[in-house]
Structures are given as structure tokens and as C-alpha cells.
Amino acid sequence: MDNKANGNTTEGTNANGIKTKLTFDDQVVKKIAGIAVSEIPGILGLSGNAITNLTDKFTNGNNPTKGISAEVGTKQVAIDLDVIGEYGKNIAQVFDTATKKVAEEVKNMTGLDVIEFNMNVDDIMTKEQYAEKFENKKKDENEEDKNNESNVRTLE
């Protein structure tokens, strides 16, 4: 699904007579959607990916687009998300907020219209359960990285 779009509404010739065409890879739209939903209360994370700490997401090698698929056309986009919802929140309202936020961000950044937005809630957790599940995983990965670093030999 990581195809390049054929272009969008900015294809043409500019004032200097230069032929122009702007395209967006599916991956770009997926990242925009992932960052947009990370800011929405009631969505704890994308399935298989902790998004509560956006900085860690980009620095530890995790795929920030895991749980998101996008089909990018010349003027329109379709997006599917798999999320972990927060227990006690009105998921229907969270969905409405996510739909609006993602559509606005995609339109503002790319000029493309979101014509289809689907959100599948894979799991419901409390913030504490979510933090425990993903913080323990992160701690295990950090300890494994430290162990690997201490086993590295330096050649002279």
C-alpha cells in the first residue's frame, strides 16, 4: 500500500512556465493520521504501537504508522485505523473527534480530502493497564539493548 499518488490538485504549470506536480506517498498520509490521533483523548494507542509518547515513537525505531492503512488518490484519501480505546470514554464521541481531526490535518497538510475514515477498536484498557503493558515492554527492550551493548567487543 505504500504507493505514490498520481498527484493532487496542484498539478499544472506555474507562473514561470515550469510544469509542476505534487505527489504524496501513502506513508506520509499514514504518519499525519497517526500523529493526529495521538493527540485525541480516549485513544490510548494504535494497535501494536504505543503512541502515548510521540517523541519515543520516532526515536526508538517503532513504526509510527503501524495499525494504519491509507489509500491515496489524486484528490482523495481513504484511511483505516486499528486503535486501543480508553476504558470509560464514549468511543462514539472519540471516533467523531478522530474523524474530524484526521480529515482537517490531512487537508491542511496535503490539500487532499478524506472521503473514507474507518476506525476499528481492537481493545479497551484503562490508562494504567496500557502504561503497564507498554512500559514493561519498553523496559524489557531497553534492558536487552543495554545487554547487547555490553557484549560488544572493541577491536584494536
Side-chain angles (χ1 to χ4, degrees), residues 10-11 14 16-17 24-25 28 33-34 39-41 45 48 54 56 86 107 115 121 127-128 135 149-150:
T10 61
E11 185 173 1
N14 71 8
N16 296 326
F24 297 94
D25 194 85
V28 171
E39 301 169 351
I40 297 172
L54 199 55
D56 285 350
E86 182 179 350
K107 181 70 171 179
I115 59 158
V121 181
K127 283 185 177 181
E128 293 78 19
E135 286 303 314
E149 287 173 10
S150 65

Side-chain angles (χ1 to χ4, degrees), residues 54-123:
L54 199 55
T55 306
D56 285 350
K57 180 169 63 172
F58 290 108
T59 59
N60 68 6
N62 284 346
N63 181 357
T65 62
K66 190 169 188 176
I68 304 173
S69 64
E71 293 181 28
V72 181
T74 57
K75 296 180 183 180
Q76 301 171 326
V77 178
I79 298 172
D80 297 325
L81 299 172
D82 292 320
V83 302
I84 299 170
E86 182 179 350
Y87 180 81
K89 298 288 184 178
N90 182 327
I91 299 300
Q93 287 178 348
V94 171
F95 174 71
D96 290 341
T97 302
T99 302
K100 183 178 177 185
K101 177 79 171 172
V102 170
E104 286 175 356
E105 292 296 322
V106 169
K107 181 70 171 179
N108 288 339
M109 295 183 75
T110 66
L112 301 171
D113 294 315
V114 176
I115 59 158
E116 186 176 329
F117 183 82
N118 302 303
M119 187 171 88
N120 177 52
V121 181
D122 281 345
D123 201 355

